[in-house]
């Protein structure tokens, strides 16, 4: 440790006690600057980074008396910022260690408390100022060229107690020099609305907004409106996963409708369509010969099932656009789907087609932005969910935001 020397080391069972002090040196009063005189020492116990056992630093802290009788300071104690904060009980390196454990090792405050042998509040009060300082650093918003957005549910209790359940999360989806996306969470703001997203974009300033060239989003009109208002020069890209999900949902809805029309009840074991519900959700290229045979048998069981087969082919066509190796070929398939689905006599596919037509530019932008998508945002959501489960839930939204920013890379420039 810089600035101190070890006077004594004592090991007691599972505890290592290290007594330290600072070298003697003239000290001036922090108020008037007059050279102070020594007035003894006091013992200050600090929690340090644990090793094989817990570690306590006993600092023999010097007490000084101001030499000026008119000074209001009278007496004061020495401070060593490189060792510990003014009123802290965790050493500086213990705080750095705790932040690193939270960031990289999926640790919890409770787990760190046990290792340090202190209380939850002691650990969090030492860590929180460091996270707040990092969160206020505007440099972490620099060089963001691709931006993702998604909603997130942070609690499941009464909103009157903890505020809105929904949060809007902004994620940096910019690619590095190798073309790989390294997603990092930029912020979490209350509410799930275009207004919440637009307000956050407005707060970032013109430099940030002008730097964003691609904005990935789910099919939610509120986010699309915010992008059009605040990111005029950015290209909105509809997320590929959600487009394919819309196609699969249309097939599922049609299957249930045909099931009711033909048999008059929900799917049961032994019903042809009920037996192939998981097959209809899979990609055609992933089906085994046995699964294909089951699909054909179920469709041929009733003429009314032909609608389900046609809808499944439409969903597979939509999916094949994203699986095409050549982006030009993928765009051609996507344009064909947009131009034809809305004319389909099957109501579910026609509704899907109308949705794609409304989002035409954002849907086709995938093929002109080197496959930009919101996948990194979903990955960040997974990290958030993991840390929320580890902590067994959060009660304070500000603490939640800081912890998730740290875990999901948002506090790293």
């Amino acid at each position: 440790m810089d600035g101190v020397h070890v006077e004594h080391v004592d090991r007691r069972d599972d505890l290592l006690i290290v007594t330290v002090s600072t070298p003697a040196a003239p000290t001036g009063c922090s108020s008037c600057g007059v050279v102070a005189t020594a007035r003894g020492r006091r013992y200050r116990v600090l929690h340090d980074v644990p090793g094989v056992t817990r570690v306590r630093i006993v600092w023999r802290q010097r007490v000084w008396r101001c030499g000026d009788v008119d000074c209001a300071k009278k007496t004061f104690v020495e401070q060593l910022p490189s060792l510990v904060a003014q009123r802290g009980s965790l050493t500086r390196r213990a705080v750095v260690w705790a932040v690193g454990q939270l960031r990289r090792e999926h640790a919890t405050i409770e787990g760190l408390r046990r290792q340090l042998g202190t209380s939850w509040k002691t650990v969090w009060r030492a860590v929180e100022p460091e996270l707040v300082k990092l969160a206020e650093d505007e440099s972490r918003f620099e060089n963001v060229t691709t931006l993702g957005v998604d909603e997130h549910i942070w609690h499941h209790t009464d909103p009157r107690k903890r505020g809105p359940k929904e949060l809007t999360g902004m994620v940096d989806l910019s690619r590095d020099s190798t073309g790989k996306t390294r997603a990092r969470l930029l912020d979490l703001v209350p509410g799930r609305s275009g207004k919440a997203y637009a307000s956050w974009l407005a707060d970032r300033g013109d430099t940030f907004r002008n730097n964003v060239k691609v904005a990935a989003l789910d099919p939610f009109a509120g986010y699309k409106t915010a992008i059009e208002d605040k990111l005029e020069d950015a290209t909105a890209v509809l997320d590929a996963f959600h487009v394919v999900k819309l196609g699969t949902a249309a097939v599922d809805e049609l299957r249930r409708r045909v099931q009711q029309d033909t048999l008059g009840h929900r799917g049961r074991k032994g019903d042809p369509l009920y037996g192939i519900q998981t097959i209809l959700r899979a990609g055609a290229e992933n089906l085994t010969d046995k699964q294909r045979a089951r699909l054909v048998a179920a469709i041929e069981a009733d003429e009314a099932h032909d609608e389900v087969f046609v809808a499944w082919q439409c969903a597979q066509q939509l999916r094949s656009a994203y699986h095409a190796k050549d982006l030009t070929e993928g765009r051609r398939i996507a344009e064909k789907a947009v131009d034809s689905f809305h004319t389909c006599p099957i109501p579910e596919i026609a509704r899907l087609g109308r949705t794609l037509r409304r989002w035409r530019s954002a849907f086709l932008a995938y093929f002109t932005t080197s496959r930009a998508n919101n996948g990194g945002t979903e990955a960040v959501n997974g990290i958030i969910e993991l840390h929320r489960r580890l902590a067994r839930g959060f009660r304070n939204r500000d603490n939640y935001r800081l912890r998730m920013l740290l875990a999901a890379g948002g506090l790293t420039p």
Side-chain angles (χ1 to χ4, degrees):
M1 287 184 173
D2 295 334
V4 299
H5 62 262
V6 176
E7 293 185 347
H8 182 69
V9 178
D10 185 22
R11 185 183 295 275
R12 302 175 186 172
D13 298 328
D14 62 341
L15 185 64
L16 184 68
I17 303 174
V18 182
T19 304
V20 301
S21 63
T22 57
T27 300
C29 174
S30 59
S31 179
C32 65
V34 173
V35 176
T37 57
R39 197 186 174 189
R41 297 172 184 264
R42 72 176 189 181
Y43 290 89
R44 185 171 171 184
V45 179
L46 309 174
H47 302 268
D48 198 26
V49 178
V52 178
T53 63
R54 289 179 295 162
V55 180
R56 293 288 181 274
I57 302 295
V58 178
W59 179 22
R60 296 181 65 233
Q61 193 175 21
R62 299 175 186 272
V63 181
W64 302 95
R65 181 175 61 231
C66 180
D68 187 354
V69 295
D70 297 326
C71 180
K73 194 73 174 178
K74 302 302 181 184
T75 61
F76 59 95
V77 294
E78 68 174 333
Q79 299 296 334
L80 192 60
S82 62
L83 176 64
V84 65
Q86 185 171 0
R87 296 182 181 275
S89 60
L90 267 64
T91 62
R92 286 290 186 187
R93 66 183 183 186
V95 174
V96 173
W97 170 81
V99 172
Q101 292 291 303
L102 292 172
R103 186 196 302 253
R104 296 185 296 271
E105 305 300 333
H106 305 308
T108 63
I109 299 296
E110 179 64 19
L112 298 179
R113 176 203 70 77
R114 286 194 298 268
Q115 294 182 69
L116 291 167
T118 183
S119 68
W120 190 98
K121 286 187 177 180
T122 298
V123 177
W124 181 246
R125 285 172 180 170
V127 169
E128 184 183 19
E130 301 299 319
L131 303 189
V132 171
K133 188 188 305 181
L134 292 172
E136 292 175 348
D137 183 5
E138 291 295 321
S139 66
R140 67 191 187 90
F141 296 113
E142 294 177 357
N143 304 319
V144 177
T145 57
T146 303
L147 187 64
V149 62
D150 197 8
E151 71 277 1
H152 171 67
I153 305 297
W154 82 280
H155 73 84
H156 299 278
T157 58
D158 190 343
R160 292 173 295 182
K161 295 181 179 179
R162 295 189 193 174
K165 295 182 179 182
E166 302 85 2
L167 298 178
T168 294
M170 281 62 65
V171 178
D172 177 15
L173 300 176
S174 305
R175 294 172 178 171
D176 59 18
S177 57
T178 63
K180 185 174 182 178
T181 299
R182 301 189 182 276
R184 59 189 185 96
L185 180 66
L186 294 177
D187 216 339
L188 286 170
V189 297
R192 177 190 179 268
S193 64
K195 182 178 179 181
Y197 189 27
S199 298
W200 184 85
L201 289 172
D203 292 341
R204 297 282 67 79
D206 293 337
T207 303
F208 175 85
R209 293 195 299 271
N210 293 336
N211 201 39
V212 176
K213 304 303 179 186
V214 177
L217 74 160
D218 300 345
F220 175 51
Y223 294 155
K224 182 67 161 55
T225 301
I227 291 172
E228 292 173 348
D229 290 345
K230 302 299 180 181
L231 300 176
E232 299 176 358
D233 298 330
T235 301
V237 181
L238 194 59
D239 183 48
F241 168 80
H242 286 84
V243 173
V244 174
K245 185 179 178 181
L246 288 175
T248 304
V251 176
D252 235 9
E253 186 178 346
L254 174 61
R255 178 188 59 79
R256 289 192 294 269
R257 177 173 65 80
V258 173
Q259 170 78 30
Q260 286 285 350
D261 292 345
T262 55
L263 298 179
H265 58 74
R266 295 178 59 184
R268 300 172 184 170
K269 185 178 180 179
D271 293 342
L273 292 181
Y274 184 76
I276 62 168
Q277 57 177 325
T278 55
I279 295 177
L280 293 173
R281 296 172 187 148
E285 73 280 2
N286 297 323
L287 297 182
T288 64
D289 292 340
K290 182 178 179 180
Q291 288 174 320
R292 291 180 183 277
R294 287 175 56 195
L295 176 62
V296 171
I299 297 301
E300 292 179 347
D302 194 310
E303 290 184 359
H305 297 176
D306 290 341
E307 278 189 317
V308 178
F309 185 66
V310 172
W312 180 73
Q313 288 180 312
C314 290
Q316 292 302 313
Q317 179 184 348
L318 191 61
R319 189 173 180 274
S320 67
Y322 292 111
H323 281 260
K325 294 184 178 180
D326 181 36
L327 287 174
T328 303
E329 174 63 15
R331 182 183 175 89
R332 185 190 65 77
I333 297 172
E335 287 179 338
K336 182 179 179 181
V338 173
D339 294 336
S340 61
F341 280 11
H342 70 283
T343 62
C344 182
I346 302 173
E348 289 79 4
I349 298 301
R351 184 167 64 249
L352 172 63
R354 292 192 294 270
T355 300
L356 294 178
R357 292 188 72 187
R358 285 198 305 273
W359 291 86
R360 182 187 181 98
S361 59
F363 171 44
L364 298 178
Y366 173 89
F367 305 96
T368 58
T369 55
S370 299
R371 302 184 188 274
N373 61 81
N374 225 12
T377 306
E378 299 297 337
V380 166
N381 267 341
I383 293 175
I384 292 174
E385 293 293 342
L386 169 63
H387 283 262
R388 186 175 65 179
R389 288 194 298 271
L390 289 173
R392 293 179 173 82
F394 287 79
R395 291 177 292 179
N396 185 300
R397 190 177 66 225
D398 293 332
N399 292 354
Y400 183 78
R401 171 179 174 268
L402 291 174
R403 287 285 305 278
M404 297 313 161
L405 285 174
L406 179 66
L411 301 185
T412 304

